[in-house]
């Protein structure tokens, strides 16, 4: 059975939750449950390609860091349990997507950044992700094309790209095992 999702323009509170220039980025919300690593992999491949950067604010189970080290995946550690990981291969994407899926399904957010000339140090999040708006002090937003905030209840896309800057364009990027609820969408 297909999983249902809806796509809408983000509400003002979501738009204001991140300190980006409001006129430069479109903000689209995708409501869905059952965020899987296959969904994350599909979105990355269809929307961006590689490289992308994953920001894990918390690796709460402890084994995530061990997994990165044992698989020789370099990461930038910005707190005792937070990491920024440059994903530039299919193998890394598969492994990091699995970690992201577990974190998201346990109530944490995971960020994915795509842009030009980004570095791990650019993407250090604030110490407290609950503080709004989120401010990435080191990030030159002119380098950023798209930012995904993946949560247990869906995904928010902040983008400059004309390829996915409206709800009508998003279904192209969602895998076919998800079903679009047109009645709940801004389409």
């Amino acid at each position: 059975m297909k999983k249902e999702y809806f796509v809408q323009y983000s509400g003002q509170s979501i738009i204001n939750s991140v300190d980006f220039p409001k006129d430069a980025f479109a903000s689209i919300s995708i409501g869905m449950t059952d965020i899987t690593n296959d969904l994350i992999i599909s979105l990355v491949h269809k929307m961006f390609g590689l490289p992308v950067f994953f920001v894990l604010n918390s690796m709460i189970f402890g084994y995530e860091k061990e997994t990165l080290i044992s698989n020789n995946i370099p990461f930038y550690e910005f707190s005792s349990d937070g990491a920024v990981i440059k994903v530039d291969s299919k193998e890394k994407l598969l492994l990091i997507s699995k970690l992201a899926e577990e974190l998201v399904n346990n109530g944490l957010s995971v960020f994915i950044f795509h842009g030009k000339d980004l570095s791990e140090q650019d993407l250090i999040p604030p110490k407290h992700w609950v503080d709004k708006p989120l401010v990435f002090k080191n990030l030159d937003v002119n380098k950023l094309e798209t930012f995904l905030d993946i949560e247990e209840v869906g995904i928010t896309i902040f983008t400059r790209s004309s390829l996915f800057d409206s709800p009508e364009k998003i279904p192209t990027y969602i895998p076919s095992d998800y079903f679009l609820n047109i009645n709940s969408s801004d389409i």
Side-chain angles (χ1 to χ4, degrees), residues 8-15 27-30 156-158 186:
Q8 300 175 339
Y9 285 105
S10 297
Q12 198 61 45
S13 64
I14 292 174
I15 293 168
S27 180
I28 310 298
S29 294
I30 306 169
T156 302
I157 303 169
F158 294 89
D186 290 340

Side-chain angles (χ1 to χ4, degrees), residues 13 22 45 60 64 95 102 104 108 118 130 133 139 143 146 164:
S13 64
K22 306 307 179 232
H45 280 301
I60 60 172
E64 298 94 347
L95 184 72
E102 289 184 41
V104 165
L108 299 171
L118 295 174
V130 294
L139 177 62
K143 294 179 178 181
T146 302
F164 28 86

Side-chain angles (χ1 to χ4, degrees), residues 7 15 18 29 32 109 115-116 128 130 135-136 140:
V7 183
I15 293 168
V18 180
S29 294
M32 62 174 52
S109 289
K116 292 190 180 214
H128 306 287
V130 294
V135 177
F136 293 86
D140 175 356

Side-chain angles (χ1 to χ4, degrees), residues 68-177:
L68 295 172
I69 293 168
S70 67
N71 285 283
N72 296 316
I73 296 179
F75 61 95
Y76 181 83
E77 194 169 7
F78 60 82
S79 68
S80 62
D81 65 348
V84 181
I85 306 150
K86 182 177 183 179
V87 176
D88 55 4
S89 72
K90 290 180 182 181
E91 294 78 19
K92 281 185 193 176
L93 180 59
L94 180 62
L95 184 72
I96 303 306
S97 294
K98 286 181 183 179
L99 293 177
E101 173 189 6
E102 289 184 41
L103 292 170
V104 165
N105 287 323
N106 280 286
L108 299 171
S109 289
V110 171
F111 296 153
I112 301 176
F113 289 86
H114 180 257
K116 292 190 180 214
D117 302 319
L118 295 174
S119 73
E120 289 87 344
Q121 293 82 5
D122 294 338
L123 308 175
I124 299 170
K127 290 184 183 205
H128 306 287
W129 276 16
V130 294
D131 295 342
K132 302 294 181 191
L134 289 176
V135 177
F136 293 86
K137 293 179 184 175
N138 300 333
L139 177 62
D140 175 356
V141 294
N142 294 317
K143 294 179 178 181
L144 182 64
E145 180 186 274
T146 302
F147 163 76
L148 300 180
D149 180 358
I150 303 176
E151 298 180 343
E152 191 173 19
V153 295
I155 300 165
T156 302
I157 303 169
F158 294 89
T159 189
R160 294 177 194 264
S161 174
S162 62
L163 296 175
F164 28 86
D165 62 353
S166 71
E168 296 86 7
K169 298 175 183 178
I170 298 302
T172 305
Y173 301 97
I174 305 296
S176 61
D177 55 340

